[in-house]
Amino acid sequence: MKKLAVFLLFIIGSIWLTSCAWVQFGQKTELKNVDLSYDTLVVFEKSQLNAYGTIYRITMQGDGLITYEWINSASYKNVIKRRASNRAVKQIISKLENMGFFELKNSYLSSDIGCKELTTSQTLVTMILKAGGRSREVRHYHGCKGFVDEKKLNKIERYIEKTFSLRRK
């Protein structure tokens, strides 16, 4: 029964993703000189730290290839690929730079970064940005609350989810 429920959730998520607009751009963002070299990469991964494992992963490469992956512990996997224009890729990277992505710490996981509240079994978000010779991987455990960069970090996560239409408006 549990496997059937997970499979149905997987199918519904796949149908929803294919029916939604996959990249939205409503605001004008100043485009810096963004180098779209071969190593340009944006990764957004959301995992549940319990038996369910990875919920989804989005990867956007410098050439505009966007890969959506749904993965779970029952070994169901769905992959959908789309393509974004060079301008759209530059806009996303420029916006993330303007929001201060490269100034974030690598890890927001535990009390060593000043969590005022720490709970278990919450979502873990991993974000990676490689652009213009710079690279940053940021891991954020949503059970860690009350730290200095929390608002900034949540704003960046919401931007990525909204941009790739994974968060309802």
Side-chain angles (χ1 to χ4, degrees), residues 68-87:
Y68 299 87
E69 298 176 82
W70 268 263
I71 308 162
N72 64 37
S73 61
S75 298
Y76 295 113
K77 184 175 181 178
N78 188 25
V79 177
I80 297 172
K81 295 186 179 192
R82 307 280 184 175
R83 184 146 319 261
S85 68
N86 281 349
R87 178 165 174 73

Side-chain angles (χ1 to χ4, degrees), residues 6-60:
V6 170
F7 179 72
L8 289 175
L9 182 62
F10 171 76
I11 295 298
I12 291 168
S14 300
I15 292 169
W16 176 73
L17 178 65
T18 57
S19 67
C20 67
W22 54 278
V23 178
Q24 300 172 352
F25 305 101
Q27 302 175 9
K28 290 188 176 181
T29 302
E30 181 184 329
L31 297 179
K32 296 180 179 179
N33 264 343
V34 177
D35 175 28
L36 296 183
S37 60
Y38 70 93
D39 68 337
T40 301
L41 182 69
V42 177
V43 177
F44 184 85
E45 179 178 294
K46 203 169 231 188
S47 304
Q48 190 68 34
L49 296 181
N50 58 22
Y52 296 107
T54 300
I55 300 170
Y56 61 83
R57 180 184 306 128
I58 305 163
T59 306
M60 182 179 74

Side-chain angles (χ1 to χ4, degrees), residues 85-124:
S85 68
N86 281 349
R87 178 165 174 73
V89 174
K90 287 180 181 182
Q91 186 175 5
I92 290 168
I93 291 170
S94 183
K95 178 75 172 182
L96 289 171
E97 287 178 345
N98 291 340
M99 293 175 85
F101 187 89
F102 286 112
E103 286 78 40
L104 292 171
K105 295 180 182 178
N106 290 336
S107 174
Y108 296 91
L109 299 176
S110 64
S111 59
D112 61 338
I113 55 121
C115 294
K116 294 182 177 145
E117 178 185 334
L118 191 59
T119 58
T120 60
S121 300
Q122 297 296 313
T123 304
L124 173 67

Side-chain angles (χ1 to χ4, degrees), residues 148-164:
V148 175
D149 290 333
E150 185 174 16
K151 288 182 181 179
K152 181 181 193 178
L153 190 56
N154 287 330
K155 186 176 180 180
I156 289 172
E157 289 176 16
R158 282 191 307 273
Y159 168 74
I160 293 172
E161 287 183 309
K162 183 178 177 184
T163 300
F164 292 102

